[in-house]
Amino acid sequence: MPAPFYYHLTLGQRHYRIQARPGCSRLAVLEASRPNILGAYEPRWLGSSCRGGYWAAFHDEIDSQLLLNMDAIARLIDSHRLARPDTELDADLDTVLNLHGRLRTLPGLERRAA
């Protein structure tokens, strides 16, 4: 089984790690410094792309900006995984989503998943 893709998400002062497993649509949201799962987001699929979704579970520690904008973040992850999985992703969320933050692939981990 291929290794999962990992993304580092910064929203303001909060840091998260997002895990995307090959063959699984659910995204796990973890604390960046610990392996604690804070939530699970299930994107909805229309055709071959992610459009909307829902939180299957989440803890109070998740920032409200992440709760409200996970759909758009999931679309960025989806487009990276489908179109360019062997490249590094480094997106400034301020210009893309009007959010103060960044979404990046974690160095080295995404290469093993490709």
Side-chain angles (χ1 to χ4, degrees), residues 28-100:
V29 178
L30 302 97
E31 291 183 70
S33 59
R34 293 178 275 169
N36 298 344
I37 295 177
L38 297 176
Y41 185 79
E42 184 72 43
R44 260 188 312 216
W45 295 91
L46 296 174
S48 63
S49 62
C50 167
R51 293 288 177 252
Y54 63 93
W55 283 95
F58 64 89
H59 293 276
D60 295 340
E61 295 89 11
I62 291 184
D63 184 87
S64 62
Q65 288 297 313
L66 178 56
L67 290 173
L68 295 171
N69 292 288
M70 191 60 188
D71 171 48
I73 293 166
R75 282 198 306 267
L76 283 172
I77 290 171
D78 181 53
S79 66
H80 176 257
R81 283 176 43 191
L82 293 176
R84 302 172 303 278
D86 57 340
T87 62
E88 303 255 344
L89 172 68
D90 188 3
D92 179 2
L93 298 180
D94 194 34
T95 58
V96 178
L97 303 173
N98 293 325
L99 287 175
H100 181 66

